[in-house]
C-alpha cells in the first residue's frame, strides 16, 4: 500500500494535475474504491490535494512549486537556457523588475554589471544581485513567503504601482489556453498584475513543463504580455499562436 501511494504522489507531482481516469489507467489492478481511499489518505497527509475528478500536486495548488531550493533542481538545464536567452532583452540604464522564482534567480546570476535599476520581490534574486557594483537594487515592502523566498502583499503592490518599468520579467506556475498564466497565491497574482500594468514591456519566463497546467489564480492572458521566454521544448503550436498575435518568443 505504501509503495503504491508513493507512486501516486510521484505521478501527481510529475504531471501537476491528474484525472481519476489517468489514475485508473496507471494502476489497472487496483479497484476504484482503493484508489479513492488512497487519495483521501494522501490528501489528509497533505501530500496532494484532492479535487473534483482527480488530484493536484501541492506545488500547483500552493503556487510556490515547493521550496525554492528544490524547485531550482527541477528542469535545471531548461532554466539555465531560459536565463541565457533572457539576457538578449537587457539594455544598460533600464529599470527592470525581476519576479520571484527559481528561473529568475538563475537569470539574476547572469545579469552583467551594468547601469540598471532593478526592482525585485525575490530575496534569492536580491542575494544574487549583491555582486553587482553599478546596478541599484530595490526591494518592495510586504510579507515574506518562506516557500518562494519572496515578498508580496498590499505594501508590495502599492510600491510597484508608483514605478514605471522598462522591462518586467515575470515567473509563472502554469499556463493554459483557458486560464492564461496563473499561480497558486492571490497575493502573488495581485503583485504580478500590478507589475505588468506598470511595465512598458513584460515577458513571462516559463519552462515548457508548465504548459497545459492550471493554478488557482490567473494573473495575465497571452494578450496582456509582450512575449514568452522558454526552453527549446515549448510546444510548436503555442509558439505559433504567440507569433500570430504579435508576441515575441525567445
Amino acid at each position: 500500500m505504501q509503495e503504491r501511494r508513493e507512486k501516486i504522489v510521484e505521478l501527481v507531482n510529475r504531471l501537476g494535475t491528474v484525472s481519476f481516469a489517468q489514475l485508473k489507467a496507471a494502476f489497472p489492478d487496483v479497484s476504484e474504491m482503493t484508489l479513492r481511499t488512497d487519495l483521501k489518505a494522501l490528501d489528509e497527509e497533505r501530500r496532494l490535494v484532492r479535487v473534483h475528478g482527480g488530484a493536484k500536486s501541492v506545488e500547483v495548488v500552493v503556487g510556490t512549486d515547493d521550496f525554492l531550493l528544490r524547485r531550482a533542481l527541477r528542469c535545471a538545464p531548461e532554466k539555465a537556457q531560459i536565463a541565457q536567452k533572457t539576457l538578449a532583452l537587457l539594455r544598460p540604464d533600464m529599470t527592470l523588475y525581476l519576479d520571484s522564482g527559481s528561473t529568475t534567480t538563475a537569470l539574476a546570476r547572469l545579469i552583467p554589471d551594468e547601469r540598471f535599476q532593478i526592482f525585485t520581490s525575490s530575496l534569492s534574486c536580491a542575494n544574487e544581485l549583491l555582486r553587482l557594483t553599478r546596478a541599484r537594487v530595490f526591494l518592495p515592502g510586504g510579507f515574506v513567503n518562506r516557500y518562494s523566498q519572496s515578498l508580496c502583499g498590499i505594501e508590495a503592490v502599492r510600491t510597484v504601482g508608483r514605478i514605471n518599468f522598462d522591462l518586467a520579467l515575470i515567473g509563472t506556475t502554469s499556463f493554459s489556453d483557458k486560464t492564461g498564466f496563473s499561480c497558486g497565491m492571490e497575493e502573488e497574482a495581485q503583485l504580478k498584475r500590478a507589475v505588468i500594468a506598470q511595465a512598458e514591456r513584460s515577458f513571462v519566463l516559463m519552462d515548457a513543463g508548465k504548459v497545459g497546467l492550471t493554478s488557482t489564480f490567473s494573473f495575465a492572458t497571452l494578450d496582456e504580455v509582450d512575449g514568452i521566454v522558454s526552453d527549446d521544448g515549448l510546444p510548436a503550436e503555442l509558439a505559433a499562436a504567440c507569433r500570430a498575435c504579435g508576441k515575441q518568443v525567445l
Side-chain angles (χ1 to χ4, degrees):
M1 179 187 69
Q2 193 58 40
E3 182 180 353
R4 183 182 64 250
R5 289 181 178 178
E6 290 294 334
K7 290 181 178 178
I8 290 173
V9 172
E10 180 183 344
L11 176 66
V12 173
N13 283 341
R14 177 161 50 87
L15 298 181
T17 301
V18 172
S19 68
F20 196 72
Q22 287 175 300
L23 275 178
K24 288 194 294 182
F27 301 92
D29 298 328
V30 181
S31 69
E32 289 191 14
M33 181 176 295
T34 298
L35 286 175
R36 294 186 191 281
T37 300
D38 288 341
L39 291 183
K40 182 176 184 295
L42 291 169
D43 180 86
E44 290 173 350
E45 293 172 9
R46 298 185 178 181
R47 302 191 63 196
L48 53 73
V49 178
R50 282 195 302 168
V51 296
H52 180 70
K56 288 187 176 184
S57 68
V58 172
E59 59 194 42
V60 167
V61 174
V62 173
T64 58
D65 196 18
D66 212 340
F67 286 96
L68 185 69
L69 181 59
R70 292 171 62 179
R71 292 162 59 189
L73 300 177
R74 297 176 182 148
C75 303
E78 291 82 358
K79 295 176 193 293
Q81 186 180 50
I82 293 168
Q84 189 66 48
K85 287 183 177 182
T86 306
L87 292 178
L89 297 171
L90 307 187
R91 300 289 182 272
D93 297 313
M94 272 185 161
T95 298
L96 307 173
Y97 178 83
L98 275 186
D99 201 5
S100 62
S102 53
T103 305
T104 50
T105 302
L107 170 63
R109 296 189 190 105
L110 301 182
I111 290 179
D113 195 5
E114 300 283 357
R115 296 184 309 274
F116 295 116
Q117 290 195 100
I118 305 175
F119 292 79
T120 182
S121 59
S122 168
L123 300 180
S124 58
C125 283
N127 187 58
E128 295 292 344
L129 296 170
L130 290 176
R131 62 186 172 77
L132 303 180
T133 60
R134 304 181 70 189
R136 299 180 70 197
V137 180
F138 303 85
L139 289 167
F143 68 88
V144 176
N145 180 329
R146 67 188 182 92
Y147 293 97
S148 60
Q149 296 182 27
S150 66
L151 299 166
C152 55
I154 188 61
E155 186 59 39
V157 171
R158 287 173 179 163
T159 299
V160 301
R162 299 191 295 266
I163 302 165
N164 300 313
F165 302 105
D166 295 310
L167 177 65
L169 302 168
I170 306 295
T172 188
T173 303
S174 51
F175 173 82
S176 74
D177 293 337
K178 182 178 180 181
T179 62
F181 301 101
S182 56
C183 62
M185 286 187 64
E186 173 61 10
E187 294 90 347
E188 289 188 356
Q190 289 175 346
L191 181 57
K192 293 174 194 289
R193 291 187 206 111
V195 170
I196 291 170
Q198 293 296 117
E200 182 176 343
R201 301 178 77 207
S202 56
F203 283 76
V204 178
L205 278 52
M206 175 182 71
D207 65 78
K210 295 177 179 177
V211 177
L213 302 180
T214 60
S215 297
T216 307
F217 299 101
S218 296
F219 62 84
T221 65
L222 192 56
D223 289 336
E224 292 171 321
V225 299
D226 293 281
I228 294 174
V229 186
S230 189
D231 57 84
D232 291 341
L234 189 71
E237 57 271 22
L238 175 55
C242 289
R243 295 187 177 105
C245 61
K247 307 303 178 181
Q248 189 172 354
V249 179
L250 296 179

